[in-house]
Amino acid sequence: MFAVLNETVPAPGWELVGVTALVAAAVATPSFAVPATGTRSLLTGTNVLGTLVHEGGHALVSLLTGGGVARIAVTGSESGYTQPRNPSPPLASILTVAAGYAMPPLAGLGAAALLHRGLVPAVLTLTVAAMLFIALFARDLLTLASVVVTGAIAYSAVRWAPDWLRNGVAYAEAWLLLTSEIGGLRALVLNRFHGGFRGQRDDAALLARYTGIPAFGWIAAWFALIGWAVWHAVPLLWP
């Protein structure tokens, strides 16, 4: 296990890094730039990795702050929820809710730091470990299938794929994590302009209720975090 985590792979050329960045941009941009019409893009539909890490972030922080997790559910490529098991103290609840949108860009930055050192197998192995963690709380077929497919891709890459393909999977994952929450944050903004500012029940609304800080303050903070993570990750990922 530790041997795999310390194994290095030769750095890819700019062509592979550029292609994986374009793939991630193609997944994230339709969610952000195209007006909501009810029609889902096929590329947007592949953005389940960010949803899994988002919900996994809620679950991990809940456990670390003394709470519990009853279930994790993925209801779509960009939607899901984490159901707590036990009531949490106010600070723990704030940290748990805030962790959802924060976890994917931070995980993407962490992956970029590992890839900069050539530790491609470590990124893929940690992805498998994350999927096993989420699987502990999966209670429905869609969530379990999403976890199994994502974990199987990472496991197959680290176990059997040639170096160029392992690089491709790991770099695509890093770029996707860095940008995957753009569509979700866009949805938070649109929901408020289309459905009003009251009665919302998303993460930003919960945090506004817990802290008194307006929901748009939290949304802006998450956007800023994504920008900060991308700013620091690009020099690490680009050869």
Side-chain angles (χ1 to χ4, degrees):
M1 175 67 171
F2 291 105
V4 173
L5 293 177
N6 289 314
E7 181 184 347
T8 59
V9 170
W14 67 265
E15 297 91 346
L16 185 143
V17 178
V19 168
T20 54
L22 288 174
V23 169
V27 171
T29 301
S31 295
F32 183 66
V34 178
T37 61
T39 302
R40 305 297 293 171
S41 158
L42 177 62
L43 284 171
T44 302
T46 67
N47 201 19
V48 71
L49 175 64
T51 302
L52 289 169
V53 175
H54 176 120
E55 302 306 332
H58 285 314
L60 178 62
V61 174
S62 178
L63 292 172
L64 292 177
T65 55
V69 179
R71 70 178 297 180
I72 292 175
V74 172
T75 56
S77 61
E78 293 184 332
S79 61
Y81 64 90
T82 299
Q83 181 181 343
R85 185 183 298 279
N86 303 312
S88 299
L91 179 58
S93 296
I94 292 169
L95 292 174
T96 297
V97 177
Y101 283 102
M103 189 61 70
L106 291 177
L109 180 57
L114 292 174
L115 294 175
H116 183 67
R117 298 170 57 191
L119 298 173
V120 172
V123 171
L124 299 172
T125 301
L126 291 172
T127 303
V128 174
M131 294 305 107
L132 290 174
F133 170 75
I134 296 170
L136 295 174
F137 309 105
R139 302 290 184 267
D140 63 274
L141 186 58
L142 177 59
T143 305
L144 188 59
S146 300
V147 168
V148 169
V149 170
T150 304
I153 291 172
Y155 179 80
S156 299
V158 75
R159 184 71 176 81
W160 296 296
D163 286 348
W164 70 267
L165 185 53
R166 287 199 282 181
N167 269 320
V169 173
Y171 274 78
E173 178 181 337
W175 288 117
L176 284 169
L177 287 172
L178 287 165
T179 59
S180 64
E181 294 293 43
I182 293 175
L185 292 177
R186 166 189 176 266
L188 296 187
V189 174
L190 289 180
N191 286 345
R192 281 157 176 78
F193 282 109
H194 293 164
F197 291 81
R198 296 184 179 181
Q200 300 292 338
R201 303 180 64 182
D202 50 43
D203 289 356
L206 283 174
L207 287 169
R209 192 175 310 134
Y210 292 156
T211 66
I213 299 173
F216 268 115
W218 291 100
I219 296 170
W222 285 319
F223 269 123
L225 178 61
I226 292 172
W228 175 83
V230 171
W231 177 264
H232 285 84
V234 168
L236 297 174
L237 292 170
W238 202 259

